[in-house]
Amino acid sequence: MDLATSGEKKILWAKGHMPVLAHIEKRFAKDRPLEGHRISMALHLEAKTGVLALLLQTGGAEVTVSGSNPLSTQDDVAEALRQRGLRVLAKRGVSVEEYRGWLKENLRTTRPTLIVDDGGDLLELLHGELAHLADGVFGGAEETTTGITRIKALERQGHLRIPMMAVNDARLKHLFDNRYGTGQSVMEAFMRVTNLIVAGKVVVVVGYGWCGKGVAERARGLGARVVVTEVDPVKALEAHMDGFSVMPLEEAAAIGDIFITVTGGWHVISHPHFKAMKDGAFLANAGHFDVEIDIPALEKESEAVEEVRPHVRAYRQKDGRTLYLLAEGRLLNLAAGDGHPAEIMDLSFALQALAVEHWARMAASGKKPEPRLYPVPDELDYWVARMKLESLGIAIDRLTDEQEAYFARWR
Ligand code: ADE
């Protein structure tokens, strides 16, 4: 198959499992709420992202798509989107410099009125090197925890110039995408790249946020003995009561077979941990950036590094042990897999589309929002949930008027 045909098939497959986006598409085709807008997107460029980009185009926007990681772009999907008339500035396996180059070109040539970001790289450029373009951006939406952390840091320092919507923080996002999406796709990618059994192994999940919870639960479901490490006492207690072993990473390092970082932090697995690990241990990251595993420290202790399977790099230690790093320490489920399941991204990307529409409608009404981090309005969360339930044929109850009145009373 040529590239574009392969990408188109992937997009159609994903689209067939994204009923909420299909619902929005019908309305967007009729109302064209994004007419006149130029949108810069930086998302993991795989099939579901393609469905979102095409939906925004159907809504009337001029869309330019880039990746949000040097290793997660799927070139066939990128080519299929080009054939469908989108501008795509992304390629798989580029250097960090080239990756950033695409993002800059995206912003410079699009001069966006709206942005859709995953991890905050577009926003960072719009507050640094390309700050002269920030005033033209009416609003944006951020997909992931790491991006939200960066926006909050900008906001705290009083520098945020663009109103951003925290899609990640919507209930329908983190309860499903971060938990079930990451849980399934990370364990799936581990099995795909190693072709090894999970049952009976000790899986150490580093970080017990929503993503960590999902990974821990799915690893347990596959028969692993799961250890959780945390720095937050509340989350640690939660992991304990959820039935996982909780201990410091230095202790877990000696007993783990598979280590999965999901913290969003910096060098959380480092030299003392590598030193304690068993021969043959696996290191994988499921957080946004490739900084959670201290790869320079790992390299320093290695006398040889070799690719033993696609996405599996063996670090031969000077003391004779081998540690295996998966997907170069980049987020495993997207660098070595297809990302979250389509039904899950249906929810997240429905919120993205509605967030973008929200800003576009506000722009049309002439209201200029303050540059702040905004929560996704509850009604959008509820609407998407209702649409999903409807597509699944699941009906739920409604409060009676008396019950509503009861909740409204304080006596
Ligand atoms: N596919 C596209 N974007 C994704 C994301 N942020 N996480 C998982 N899968 C994705």
Side-chain angles (χ1 to χ4, degrees):
M1 258 189 283
D2 65 86
L3 267 187
T5 311
S6 157
E8 183 67 24
K9 279 178 186 268
K10 285 184 180 174
I11 291 171
L12 291 180
W13 172 260
K15 187 172 180 194
H17 295 86
M18 302 178 91
V20 184
L21 290 193
H23 205 287
I24 298 172
E25 186 186 27
K26 281 199 200 108
R27 189 168 56 74
F28 273 19
K30 192 157 61 69
D31 298 351
R32 309 266 298 170
L34 310 179
E35 198 78 63
H37 280 283
R38 297 182 303 279
I39 301 181
S40 287
M41 293 174 68
L43 293 177
H44 299 291
L45 214 189
E46 48 85 20
K48 283 90 73 185
T49 307
V51 180
L52 173 64
L54 291 166
L55 171 64
L56 300 180
Q57 185 190 44
T58 300
E62 221 178 85
V63 181
T64 309
V65 195
S66 297
S68 72
N69 185 292
L71 262 194
S72 64
T73 293
Q74 299 192 10
D75 289 335
D76 53 355
V77 172
E79 196 49 42
L81 292 179
R82 286 188 193 103
Q83 301 287 321
R84 295 259 213 137
L86 296 186
R87 269 166 29 92
V88 182
L89 300 169
K91 192 166 167 47
R92 184 183 184 79
V94 292
S95 66
V96 173
E97 292 70 36
E98 282 171 294
Y99 159 74
R100 278 180 73 78
W102 289 122
L103 293 184
K104 285 186 227 169
E105 190 176 337
N106 183 330
L107 291 172
R108 271 198 210 105
T109 56
T110 310
R111 306 183 76 80
T113 55
L114 298 166
I115 61 167
V116 182
D117 217 354
D118 183 336
D121 284 349
L122 284 182
L123 200 76
E124 189 232 326
L125 287 167
L126 288 166
H127 289 75
E129 213 172 313
L130 300 177
H132 61 286
L133 297 174
D135 284 345
V137 185
F138 193 84
E142 170 53 55
E143 171 77 7
T144 203
T145 318
T146 290
I148 302 289
T149 308
R150 298 174 86 183
I151 297 172
K152 283 183 178 162
L154 258 177
E155 198 177 25
R156 260 198 318 276
Q157 290 164 16
H159 297 319
L160 182 63
R161 293 177 59 186
I162 298 170
M164 291 295 294
M165 204 171 276
V167 168
N168 179 75
D169 294 354
R171 282 195 300 162
L172 218 46
K173 163 64 169 68
H174 60 267
L175 292 179
F176 299 88
D177 173 314
N178 301 25
R179 182 167 45 165
Y180 299 123
T182 309
Q184 176 168 320
S185 60
V186 167
M187 293 318 295
E188 179 213 345
F190 175 83
M191 294 186 286
R192 196 195 284 201
V193 303
T194 63
N195 189 221
L196 296 174
I197 187 99
V198 175
K201 290 203 168 67
V202 176
V203 173
V204 179
V205 179
V206 186
Y208 203 66
W210 288 105
C211 295
K213 284 194 225 300
V215 173
E217 195 53 56
R218 289 297 175 259
R220 170 156 66 187
L222 287 162
R225 284 180 293 141
V226 179
V227 173
V228 169
T229 72
E230 246 307 334
V231 291
D232 177 328
V234 177
K235 289 181 184 167
L237 194 54
E238 189 182 9
H240 169 73
M241 298 239 181
D242 286 344
F244 299 109
S245 301
V246 178
M247 63 184 77
L249 183 53
E250 286 212 38
E251 216 174 290
I255 58 170
D257 298 300
I258 304 167
F259 295 83
I260 302 174
T261 52
V262 233
T263 68
W266 170 267
H267 288 186
V268 290
I269 301 190
S270 193
H271 179 70
H273 312 115
F274 299 138
K275 271 290 200 223
M277 283 177 190
K278 294 195 283 194
D279 183 29
F282 290 94
L283 302 164
N285 168 48
H288 186 78
F289 284 115
D290 61 341
V291 298
E292 302 205 20
I293 300 169
D294 184 356
I295 301 171
L298 183 60
E299 272 163 4
K300 216 162 147 209
E301 287 302 311
S302 307
E303 56 183 15
V305 180
E306 69 186 284
E307 192 91 1
V308 288
R309 277 172 70 85
H311 303 296
V312 184
R313 206 166 271 179
Y315 283 78
R316 313 280 182 210
Q317 303 294 281
K318 291 175 187 153
D319 61 14
R321 291 171 308 133
T322 298
L323 301 179
Y324 296 106
L325 178 68
L326 305 185
E328 300 175 28
R330 296 206 176 271
L331 65 191
L332 179 65
N333 56 340
L334 280 147
D338 290 325
H340 295 352
E343 299 100 317
I344 291 285
M345 294 314 292
D346 191 27
L347 302 173
S348 311
F349 285 169
L351 292 174
Q352 285 285 6
L354 296 177
V356 166
E357 183 189 17
H358 176 91
W359 291 135
R361 290 202 184 278
M362 200 173 260
S365 74
K367 284 188 212 133
K368 177 107 179 114
E370 290 289 305
R372 285 209 317 264
L373 179 62
Y374 291 86
V376 171
D378 278 347
E379 62 266 24
L380 300 190
D381 238 1
Y382 283 123
W383 184 85
V384 175
R386 283 194 190 285
M387 286 304 114
K388 192 69 174 183
L389 285 170
E390 199 175 280
S391 76
L392 292 166
I394 298 172
I396 60 168
D397 296 322
R398 275 184 191 278
L399 293 175
T400 62
D401 290 347
E402 289 87 346
Q403 286 167 333
E404 290 226 24
Y406 178 80
F407 277 128
R409 288 205 299 261
W410 66 272
R411 276 188 190 281

